[in-house]
Amino acid sequence: MQTWKEYQEKNKERFLNEMIDLLRIPSVSAKSEHKEDMQRCADAVAKSLRDAGCDKAEVMATAGHPVVYGEKIIDPSKPTVLVYGHYDVQPAEPLELWHSGPFDPVIKDGKVFARGSADDKGQFYMHVKALEVMSQTNSLTTNIKFLIEGEEEVGSPNLGKFVADHKDLLKADVILISDSSMLSMENPSLDTGVRGLSYIQVEVTGANRDLHSGTYGGAVANPITILAKMIASCHDENNHITIPGFYDDVVVATPEERDLLNKAPYDEQEYKDELGVKELWGENGYTTYERTGIRPTLEVNGIWGGYTGEGAKTVLPSKAYAKISARLVPNQSSDKITEKLLNYFKSIAPPSVEVKAELHHGGEPYMTPIDSKGYQAAAKAVEATFGKAPIPVRGGGSIPICSILEKELGIKIIFMGFGLDNDNLHSPNEKYNIENYYKGIETIPYFHKFFAE
Ligand SMILES: [Zn+2]
C-alpha cells in the first residue's frame, strides 16, 4: 500500500491541473450574467467529489445559487468532519489591473494567478484531493461531509436557511474550513477566530438638483462636504472610533492573550515596504496584529458624488454617497453595531441636508477555543508537516456564516487556512502558491487522523 505522500507525489501534476480547471469557470456570485457559470461550477464540484471518493455528491437548490453537498461515510460510529468552503468568487474588476486574464489561470514563479485561486477554490479543493489521497490509500479514519456554497462572497443570504433545513444531513462533530491565511510557510499559524461585520450605505442629499456652484455655492450646503465631515468625525485624534457605545461589548484581551498574539514574527519595515506606505495608521496603544485581530475597526469602502468625469465642471451636487463597514470582535453584535452606525449618521446630520442610511449586510464575530479536540488536531497536523507548532492568531477577515453554522449544528469550527496575506484576495492578480496547495493536501489527512484518535 502506498503512503499518502507517495500517492500525492505521483499525482501532483493532475491535482494541480484539476484545480486550475475549476479556476477557469467564472463563478462570480454577485453578477446575474454568471448564473449559468455558477451552475456549471457547482456541477463540476459535485463531480470532483464523486471522483475523489464520495459515496454521493449532489447540487442542491437554494433561493439563490446552489449548494454542493457530498459525503463519504465509512462507519457511522466514527467521528464526522464537515468541510465548509465556497465555489463562488469575487468580481474580477478592475480588469485592466490584471497581468493575465482572471479566468485564464497562469503559473508564474510557483504561483497560480487567477480569481478564486486562494479564495476559495484552491483552498477547498485541497480537501477534495485529501479525500482522494485517503480513499486511495485506504486510510480514512473519519466520515467526511462537504458543504460547498455559492454565495459566500455576497454574504451567504440563503445558507442559514439551508443549514437549518438540513440539520440531519449536515450532522457532524467538527467543521473544518480552509478559507484564511497563515503567517508564512516558515511560521505556520492557525486562526482562532474571525471578525464580524456591519456594512452600511449612507446617502446625503442637499438641494433637489445639481446646482451652479457660482450662483448657489456658499449659500447652500454641499452634501459631499457634509458627508466628508461626518465620516471624519468617526475617529478621534487617537484613531479611536467615536460612535457612541461602539466599544461597549468589546471583550478586553488579557495581557497573556496580547503577549501570545505579539509573539508572531513581525517586521514593520517589511510590512510598510510591501504596501508602499511610509507610516502605519491605527488605534493608539495597539500593535499591528492587535489592530487587525482583537480590535474593531471602521473603514470607508467607497465614496462618490458630484462630477468625476474628464476636465472640470463647476457643480454643487445634490447628492453624496458612501459605503462604510465595521469589523467586529467578540462580543459585539452586528445588529446592535449596525443600529448604532445608522443612528449616528442620521443624528449628526445638519438640518441643511437629508441623510438616509441603510444596512447592506452583516455577520457576527466568531472565536474557537484552542483547547478543543479539533484545534488540537489541527495544531498537531500542522506540526506534522511543517515541523513546527502553529502560532494561534486572530483572523482579521469575516466569514459571517460561522456563528450561524455553530448555532444550527452545535459544533465548533476549526480554521486551517493555507493562504498568505499577500495572495491579493478580492484584488487584481489574486494568486495561490503551489507549494501551499500541496502542503495543504499533505496536512489535511493528518487532521482526520488526529481528530479520530
Ligand atoms: Zn473566501
Side-chain angles (χ1 to χ4, degrees), residues 204-211 221-224 306 315-321 353-354:
V204 180
T205 307
N208 58 7
R209 61 191 188 277
D210 284 2
L211 302 172
N222 184 320
I224 299 180
V315 63
L316 199 172
S318 162
K319 283 182 185 290
Y321 305 83
V353 296
E354 290 290 335

Side-chain angles (χ1 to χ4, degrees), residues 13 30 38 75 90 150 164 166 171 178 201 222 263 274 286 307 342 372 419 443:
E13 283 296 310
M38 293 299 295
D75 176 353
Q90 284 269 320
H166 297 91
K171 200 171 174 307
S178 296
Q201 179 162 327
N222 184 320
K263 280 222 170 74
E274 214 257 324
Y286 294 94
Y307 183 71
L342 297 177
S372 72
T443 305

Side-chain angles (χ1 to χ4, degrees), residues 20 56 105 157 201 255 264 284 305 322 353 424-425:
I20 286 175
K56 68 166 188 184
Q201 179 162 327
N284 280 6
V353 296
N424 294 326
L425 307 188

